[in-house]
């Protein structure tokens, strides 16, 4: 492992009603710029999300993965578009159903997305246009998670404000806010059992990993994880790997492919992976603060000038980009997904 460590950012100057001065915001923005440019990953502290809320979110996820009967998991299983209430994305995935680089990952998960107004039983649904499939156990999970989503949307807005300022100065504070007003957010509950001895390769080819090497394909990821160390690994610019171990009271934050496109490559989304060889059951709940579904994501003029004046990518509608990614995320069985399997 590389001795490099991730930077820590105090985001409080950009929170609502912070009362901070422009100079305090500028100091925060300068730190954000360095972190996004140099590593693409950082710890975020003083974010106003109480530890009691974060701990409860992790506890509920752990309880679902470790105590819910398999029948309950199958009840909310992800299904392909056109099958039942499936939209190809939302719902529970068994171990090995999620794939990275074409190879199965050693984790199970529940994927939730922004509500699009779909109702159960009104299908068939197109990709990403179905209802969320909420766990029915433990009791109260949905309510607590919906409250958490609202908190994370507030925090996500603060983070992208700071990133706009970091790139374009005070006048750029709203540059990303305008395209994330109706963020097509994604939240994953992920359960990682320890890798079996036969799967502990952890090689560059992606064999024997809990989640294979990848970049996130959206805007900003805000990761909440339990205290497990040595699992999440970030690839430094020199190719070495850094352990992104949890820091008490902080989120692990990284930028995704859409932020790289907006900045014309000035900031690059960073490759990372999960290799959980520990004895316990690891739980994480990443919240992906994404562009609006219909947002046109294209290089900003200011970033084009700062990267030599050449536009390095064309614009893309985020929803189109997301659909393309989702359709390649899973191993699909003949019955239309994971339902009744595993």
């Amino acid at each position: 492992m590389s001795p490099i460590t991730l930077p820590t950012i105090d985001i409080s100057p950009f929170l609502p009603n912070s009362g901070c001065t422009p100079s305090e915001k500028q100091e925060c923005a300068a730190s954000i710029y360095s972190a996004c440019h140099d590593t693409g990953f950082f710890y975020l502290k003083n974010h106003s999300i109480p530890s009691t809320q974060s701990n409860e979110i992790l506890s509920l996820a752990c309880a679902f993965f470790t105590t819910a009967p398999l029948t309950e998991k199958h009840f909310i299983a992800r299904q392909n578009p056109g099958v039942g209430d499936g939209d190809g994305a939302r719902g529970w995935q068994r171990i090995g159903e999620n794939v990275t680089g074409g190879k199965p990952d050693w984790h199970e998960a529940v994927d939730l997305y922004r509500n699009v107004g779909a109702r159960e039983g009104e299908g068939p649904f197109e990709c990403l246009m179905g209802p969320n499939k909420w766990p029915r156990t433990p009791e109260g999970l949905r309510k607590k998670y919906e409250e958490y989503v609202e908190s994370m949307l507030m925090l996500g807005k603060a983070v992208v404000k700071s990133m706009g300022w970091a790139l374009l100065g005070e006048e750029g504070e709203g540059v990303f806010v305008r395209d994330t007003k109706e963020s097509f957010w994604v939240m994953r509950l992920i359960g990682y059992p320890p890798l079996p001895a036969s799967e502990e390769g952890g090689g560059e080819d992606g064999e024997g990993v809990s989640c294979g090497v990848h970049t996130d394909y959206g805007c900003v990821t805000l990761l909440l994880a339990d205290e497990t160390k040595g699992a999440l690994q970030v690839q430094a610019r020199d190719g070495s790997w850094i352990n992104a171990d949890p820091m008490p009271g902080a989120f692990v934050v990284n930028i995704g492919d859409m932020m790289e496109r907006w900045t014309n490559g000035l900031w690059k989304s960073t490759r990372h992976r999960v290799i959980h060889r520990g004895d316990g059951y690891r739980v994480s709940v990443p919240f992906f603060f994404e562009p609006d579904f219909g947002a046109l994501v294209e290089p900003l003029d200011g970033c084009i000038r700062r990267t030599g004046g050449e536009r390095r990518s064309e614009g893309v509608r985020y929803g189109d980009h997301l659909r393309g990614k989702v359709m390649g995320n899973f191993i699909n069985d003949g019955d239309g997904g994971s339902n009744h399997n595993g």
Side-chain angles (χ1 to χ4, degrees):
M1 280 301 128
S2 170
I4 300 171
T5 57
L6 301 180
T8 301
I9 306 293
D10 177 353
I11 195 61
S12 60
F14 284 92
L15 295 177
N17 305 314
S18 70
C20 289
T21 64
S23 62
E24 289 171 316
K25 285 189 171 184
Q26 178 57 40
E27 182 179 358
C28 174
S31 298
I32 285 282
Y33 185 94
S34 296
C36 291
H37 181 271
D38 296 344
T39 63
F41 265 79
F42 54 91
Y43 294 107
L44 195 74
K45 68 176 185 177
N46 295 336
H47 43 67
S48 83
I49 308 297
S51 59
T52 50
Q53 185 179 31
S54 299
N55 291 339
E56 188 168 35
I57 290 301
L58 289 171
S59 294
L60 289 167
C62 186
F64 170 75
F65 289 125
T66 60
T67 68
L70 196 55
T71 52
E72 282 294 316
K73 294 179 178 181
H74 282 162
F75 184 77
I76 61 165
R78 186 197 69 87
Q79 294 172 295
N80 285 343
V83 179
D85 284 334
D87 70 354
R90 302 169 199 252
W92 172 74
Q93 305 123 41
R94 69 186 186 278
I95 292 174
E97 183 177 349
N98 197 277
V99 296
T100 304
K103 297 178 181 179
D105 295 320
W106 195 256
H107 67 254
E108 60 179 309
V110 178
D111 286 9
L112 303 164
Y113 287 74
R114 179 183 175 87
N115 184 3
V116 294
R119 297 182 180 180
E120 295 179 7
E122 293 184 350
F125 298 104
E126 297 179 359
C127 180
L128 293 167
M129 293 295 110
N132 278 323
K133 298 187 173 190
W134 288 95
R136 299 185 298 184
T137 182
E139 185 177 355
L141 180 148
R142 178 172 180 172
K143 181 177 184 297
K144 295 295 183 180
Y145 268 74
E146 287 178 335
E147 292 171 353
Y148 183 68
V149 167
E150 293 306 310
S151 297
M152 297 308 289
L153 288 172
M154 177 276 297
L155 180 57
K157 182 177 180 180
V159 171
V160 297
K161 277 186 173 183
S162 73
M163 290 179 173
W165 188 308
L167 288 164
L168 304 172
E170 184 173 1
E171 65 276 10
E173 185 176 291
V175 69
F176 299 127
V177 175
R178 69 190 180 203
D179 285 322
T180 56
K181 289 180 179 178
E182 297 183 349
S183 169
F184 201 78
W185 57 264
V186 187
M187 180 168 57
R188 304 194 75 207
L189 290 65
I190 312 177
Y192 295 95
L195 281 164
S198 61
E199 294 292 332
E200 289 193 358
E204 285 297 317
D205 61 359
E207 294 287 356
V209 294
S210 307
C211 184
V213 178
H214 65 285
T215 59
D216 291 346
Y217 42 74
C219 180
V220 174
T221 304
L222 301 151
L223 174 68
L224 174 66
D226 68 16
E227 59 190 15
T228 304
K229 294 183 178 180
L232 176 61
Q233 300 173 2
V234 176
Q235 191 169 41
R237 300 297 188 229
D238 64 3
S240 62
W241 290 94
I242 306 166
N243 277 336
D245 290 337
M247 176 186 291
F251 288 96
V252 177
V253 179
N254 65 281
I255 57 175
D257 297 343
M258 294 295 93
M259 189 59 72
E260 180 173 335
R261 186 179 294 258
W262 261 323
T263 65
N264 205 41
L266 184 63
W267 294 351
K268 298 186 184 301
S269 53
T270 301
R271 283 158 46 98
H272 52 286
R273 65 188 181 187
V274 178
I275 303 177
H276 174 41
R277 298 190 181 98
D279 296 329
Y281 192 97
R282 179 179 185 263
V283 173
S284 70
V285 182
F287 185 88
F288 302 88
F289 185 78
E290 309 293 47
D292 300 346
F293 196 80
L296 178 63
V297 180
E298 58 185 346
L300 298 168
D301 289 342
C303 292
I304 294 173
R305 289 192 295 271
R306 295 177 71 172
T307 51
E310 181 180 348
R311 186 185 180 108
R312 297 177 180 175
S313 61
E314 297 302 316
V316 63
R317 294 289 175 188
Y318 178 65
D320 295 336
H321 173 78
L322 181 61
R323 281 195 189 99
K325 293 292 185 179
V326 165
M327 295 307 289
N329 272 358
F330 305 102
I331 291 175
N332 290 316
D333 299 317
D335 69 351
S338 63
N339 202 19
H340 308 304
N341 288 276

